[in-house]
Amino acid sequence: MALRNEEDNLVYEVHEIVVQRVGHVPVAKGDFTHLSKKVQRFVAHCVQQFKPRGIYICDGSQEEADEIIHKLLERGTLTRLTKYKNNYLCRTDPEDVARVESKTFICTQNKYDTVPHVREGVQGTLGRWMSPENMKKELDARFPSCMAGRMMYVIPFSMGPVGSPLSKIGVQVTDSNYVLLCMRIMTRVSPKVWEVLGDGDFVKCIHSMGCPRPVQRRVKNHWPCNPEKVLITHFPEERKIKSFGSGYGGNSLLGKKCFALRIASVIARDEGWMAEHMLIMSITTPKKKEYFVAAAFPSACGKTNLAMLNPGVPGYKIQCVGDDIAWMRFDDSGVLRGINPEAGFFGVAPGTNMKTNPNAMLTFQENSIFTNVAETADGGYYWEGLEDEVPKGIGITTWLGQPWHIGHGGKSAHPNSRFTAPASQCPIIHPKWEDPKGVPVCAIIFGGRRPTGVPLVIEAKSWAHGVMIGACVKSEATAAAEHTGKNIMHDPMAMRPFMGYNFGHYLQHWLDLEKPGRKMPKIFHVNWFRVDENGKFLWPGFGENIRVLDWILRRCDGDDSIWQDSPIGLLPKKGTINMSGLSDVREEDLFSLPTHYWLDDTRESRRFLEDQVGSDTPAIITQLLDQQEAAFQKLK
Ligand code: OXD
Ligand code: MN
């Protein structure tokens, strides 16, 4: 329509604003026609099923984040932590505070593609399977109209640097804008993802808080969710994830555990690479030689602290590539190269302080989201472990909104409260952390919380022996883990909650990775948590762990003068770990191998594999355990 201005005869163009619609649903932001046909079909299908009030195609920009933050502040879902720049506190519904393993399923046509053949009468713990048909019934009882009255956000994201040959693309729809804010920290959300995707395939990620309007349940803390109906489902054959009812990180930030571990482990098996629950860190020694190692620990064993270690011995430099997930692939010259598929840290807050992890603390001074932590009266975050780092006597409001002070008793923050912070802000982030080629990994380190029997460090005798060691990873249960009644829990390869397929096949995949011409990384097992008869830690841990890493690196360099054989692997020869300046470390106790303990432990591990992995256990793993038992029998 053209208008004539009578005074000066200027012509103003007034354009009609055309609101795009998908069906009857308006596109509130973005251009639907710019999406590939495959993405359009996916989005249109979601719209038809979930009946949102609008579609918001995200671009990951700061302006977009500001707009959403503004909305969430107004609504009360977020509180500004005024002590910092752009830091926010979110309190969830107190019933939605953790990953829910019991509601997490993998659906494949063949059950044994997902779970191993467990011993008869045994409850499997390595993954939960449901048939796609039965799951469809469950999903049909949840998803139709689940976004009624809510906006549906469409998030294009890359796991790994955008465009890297090691990266993969996902598209997540969600009705939670908290999830959008966290996704843009934890993954790379950008319109460039659409370009790289072209007409290609992507992992379909569907998330709903499961709380359509009008709500059927009282909404607490402006956190609509549906704890009774939580379901986190994976369809590896279709490369699809559907998550319902929870907004908590591992359940809702689908790029992380669901995609980068469960779905990616299946893709990795099919394509011949590895998707692992591992940190990647670089260590530069006093001789200025740099090494990269990957390390797998069960949840809540200090993986983030190790990834950002502050060395207790001068002359070493640590740089962080990633703190939770590693995707690794052998390159053409046989070198294992790893990337961190994530873009942020989703770390456990309690216990993090300037002593345990100064680099994490410095990472989240701005642009970060804190979930279920407490708040100080001066607008700061607070959790257990920060007692010495806040003004004395300061008033605190707990994660549940109650007044509190240090010494009050009980906990101020939820034990599984988290910080979500951009990795780029980490003061020791490695300059190559986004290198599309990845970094060369020379060692893989397993570990767990093992109060008794397990030495500070063990080196595997071979790749297969290392796979056996990884298969036998166990750890003491902590407050952050779901309780099973047992104190030491098996967490093979630190992947128990994250396995995307039959664990026996996964072990075989690891074994098959060893091929002529490949430089297989050395495999180690570490234990920072051994205690003496009084329950006192035998090893100082934290920054002093650099001493163990140093021994590991000398072994990677082939130093043959520093090891001795043992039935469980190669151990450091006495005096070969640098203990200078450490008082009170009793090497004999740290490295002792009590015969009865190890006989029991070996049998228990074998029993675990027989029970849980059964006929899917690769024969070599059982043989190696048999050999270990026989060696201890001789020592009896
Ligand atoms: C995590 C976990 O959140 O492993 O990283 O539980
Ligand atoms: Mn983890």
Side-chain angles (χ1 to χ4, degrees):
M1 184 184 354
L3 286 184
R4 188 160 296 278
N5 179 314
E6 305 222 324
E7 272 164 51
D8 53 12
N9 260 0
L10 281 178
V11 173
Y12 293 90
E13 292 283 329
V14 178
H15 294 277
E16 259 182 280
I17 299 171
V18 179
V19 177
Q20 288 181 341
R21 286 175 193 277
V22 176
H24 296 294
V25 182
V27 179
K29 181 178 164 186
D31 191 334
F32 187 75
T33 63
H34 284 176
L35 307 180
S36 78
K37 285 283 170 287
K38 281 181 185 157
V39 178
Q40 286 186 1
R41 267 199 298 278
F42 170 59
V43 172
H45 183 75
C46 292
V47 168
Q48 196 187 15
Q49 295 263 305
F50 313 148
K51 308 260 185 293
R53 72 176 165 81
I55 303 162
Y56 188 108
I57 302 169
C58 303
D59 62 18
S61 64
Q62 190 56 50
E63 296 69 48
E64 181 174 280
D66 292 344
E67 180 195 315
I68 303 285
I69 287 168
H70 196 77
K71 240 187 234 167
L72 289 181
L73 286 171
E74 211 172 81
R75 198 184 299 156
T77 315
L78 291 185
T79 309
R80 193 184 291 280
L81 289 171
T82 51
K83 202 164 165 181
Y84 325 92
K85 193 173 137 211
N86 220 12
N87 272 358
Y88 303 92
L89 165 64
C90 176
R91 294 190 177 101
T92 69
D93 182 319
E95 285 182 62
D96 190 19
V97 291
R99 280 191 287 107
V100 196
E101 282 174 28
S102 53
K103 309 275 177 65
T104 301
F105 291 86
I106 314 269
C107 303
T108 45
Q109 287 300 336
N110 177 355
K111 173 174 178 181
Y112 299 105
D113 284 349
T114 294
V115 287
H117 290 79
V118 299
R119 186 201 288 272
E120 201 156 304
V122 164
Q123 175 72 44
T125 58
L126 298 173
R128 271 191 182 70
W129 174 83
M130 196 186 285
S131 72
E133 292 70 34
N134 285 345
M135 183 55 82
K136 185 172 180 318
K137 286 183 210 139
E138 295 293 334
L139 296 174
D140 284 350
R142 289 169 172 79
F143 275 95
S145 301
C146 64
M147 296 186 186
R150 302 196 183 274
M151 186 65 81
M152 184 176 89
Y153 299 89
V154 179
I155 310 172
F157 66 98
S158 175
M159 297 310 291
V162 182
S164 157
L166 300 181
S167 301
K168 299 278 173 203
I169 286 175
V171 179
Q172 176 159 341
V173 299
T174 177
D175 51 9
S176 161
N177 36 20
Y178 162 86
V179 167
L180 163 60
L181 288 181
C182 292
M183 280 295 284
R184 64 178 291 285
I185 296 175
M186 294 305 298
T187 74
R188 289 143 176 112
V189 179
S190 138
K192 272 195 251 134
V193 171
W194 297 130
E195 276 168 43
V196 173
L197 178 63
D199 205 23
D201 290 319
F202 54 93
V203 175
K204 299 186 175 82
C205 303
I206 296 168
H207 169 253
S208 172
M209 299 293 278
C211 205
R213 288 193 172 108
V215 297
Q216 302 292 308
R217 173 178 190 278
R218 191 165 75 81
V219 175
K220 294 179 202 144
N221 287 342
H222 310 277
W223 183 268
C225 61
N226 197 340
E228 293 81 30
K229 294 249 172 74
V230 167
L231 203 50
I232 296 111
T233 63
H234 307 70
F235 298 84
E237 287 148 349
E238 296 171 57
R239 313 287 197 234
K240 187 158 91 185
I241 302 158
K242 284 185 111 170
S243 167
F244 186 91
S246 165
Y248 177 81
N251 305 328
S252 68
L253 311 180
L254 300 187
K256 195 173 177 62
K257 306 297 189 183
C258 298
F259 178 168
L261 289 175
R262 297 192 192 99
I263 295 287
S265 63
V266 175
I267 303 177
R269 175 201 61 195
D270 295 350
E271 297 180 353
W273 50 280
M274 312 161 88
E276 303 299 334
H277 190 207
M278 292 182 185
L279 63 86
I280 305 180
M281 66 195 287
S282 127
I283 305 138
T284 306
T285 62
K287 290 188 182 141
K288 302 280 174 272
K289 184 162 174 194
E290 182 176 37
Y291 305 78
F292 292 90
V293 304
F297 296 81
S299 304
C301 281
K303 210 146 106 252
T304 303
N305 292 348
L306 180 61
M308 299 178 198
L309 181 113
N310 202 16
V313 182
Y316 293 85
K317 180 167 157 190
I318 302 294
Q319 288 170 291
C320 173
V321 176
D323 79 325
D324 195 39
I325 299 177
W327 285 359
M328 300 183 291
R329 196 189 278 255
F330 287 93
D331 68 13
D332 293 342
S333 47
V335 173
L336 185 63
R337 303 196 74 95
I339 60 165
N340 168 14
E342 302 191 275
F345 305 126
F346 181 65
V348 177
T352 308
N353 59 43
M354 284 309 269
K355 283 204 202 83
T356 59
N357 197 339
N359 291 309
M361 296 288 290
L362 295 171
T363 303
F364 54 61
Q365 294 307 300
E366 56 186 35
N367 307 319
S368 301
I369 297 176
F370 298 82
T371 306
N372 291 334
V373 305
E375 184 185 2
T376 56
D378 61 351
Y381 46 66
Y382 185 78
W383 49 74
E384 282 48 52
L386 287 178
E387 293 76 1
D388 297 334
E389 296 178 22
V390 293
K392 285 262 160 304
I394 190 141
I396 288 170
T397 306
T398 68
W399 73 283
L400 290 167
Q402 305 296 323
W404 194 86
H405 57 262
I406 294 170
H408 180 284
K411 300 240 188 273
S412 65
H414 188 277
N416 194 30
S417 53
R418 300 284 178 143
F419 54 83
T420 310
S424 58
Q425 292 180 186
C426 176
I428 59 158
I429 198 72
H430 197 284
K432 289 197 180 153
W433 82 285
E434 299 198 279
D435 188 331
K437 293 196 301 297
V439 297
V441 173
C442 68
I444 290 176
I445 305 171
F446 292 108
R449 285 180 183 265
R450 302 293 296 272
T452 46
V454 179
L456 183 60
V457 57
I458 310 162
E459 178 185 332
K461 298 181 186 191
S462 63
W463 177 256
H465 185 231
V467 177
M468 183 277 260
I469 288 177
C472 297
V473 165
K474 308 175 201 183
S475 194
E476 192 176 34
T478 66
E482 256 180 351
H483 266 285
T484 62
K486 269 204 207 155
N487 218 16
I488 302 278
M489 284 167 59
H490 281 270
D491 192 346
M493 310 303 244
M495 282 287 278
R496 185 189 50 78
F498 311 121
M499 273 311 303
Y501 64 99
N502 181 317
F503 185 70
H505 301 174
Y506 166 90
L507 290 179
Q508 190 59 51
H509 175 59
W510 265 69
L511 293 167
D512 292 345
L513 287 167
E514 186 178 25
K515 289 198 170 63
R518 286 188 171 170
K519 299 178 185 78
M520 301 312 288
K522 278 184 178 290
I523 300 181
F524 300 85
H525 184 283
V526 296
N527 176 28
W528 321 131
F529 300 97
R530 194 166 183 175
V531 295
D532 66 12
E533 53 297 343
N534 302 315
K536 189 169 166 286
F537 285 115
L538 285 167
W539 178 248
F542 297 108
E544 307 306 340
N545 293 338
I546 188 66
R547 299 165 189 267
V548 178
L549 293 174
D550 176 78
W551 186 85
I552 287 175
L553 299 180
R554 279 185 279 143
R555 286 296 302 136
C556 289
D557 270 349
D559 187 342
D560 257 336
S561 65
I562 58 173
W563 64 273
Q564 54 187 332
D565 200 7
S566 93
I568 57 169
L570 313 185
L571 300 182
K573 252 192 202 156
K574 192 166 175 2
T576 58
I577 291 189
N578 173 9
M579 301 283 185
S580 71
L582 290 184
S583 55
D584 236 18
V585 173
R586 303 199 301 268
E587 245 183 291
E588 304 73 43
D589 295 347
L590 260 179
F591 286 100
S592 71
L593 297 183
T595 304
H596 282 284
Y597 174 89
W598 275 99
L599 268 175
D600 286 351
D601 187 80
T602 311
R603 288 179 188 141
E604 196 277 332
S605 293
R606 197 178 45 217
R607 175 81 191 180
F608 168 79
L609 292 172
E610 281 164 7
D611 282 355
Q612 291 292 334
V613 195
S615 57
D616 295 311
T617 313
I620 180 76
I621 304 293
T622 321
Q623 280 161 22
L624 288 166
L625 280 165
D626 289 348
Q627 280 170 22
Q628 185 166 303
E629 183 186 352
F632 280 109
Q633 281 287 7
K634 274 202 210 131
L635 294 176
K636 231 170 51 164

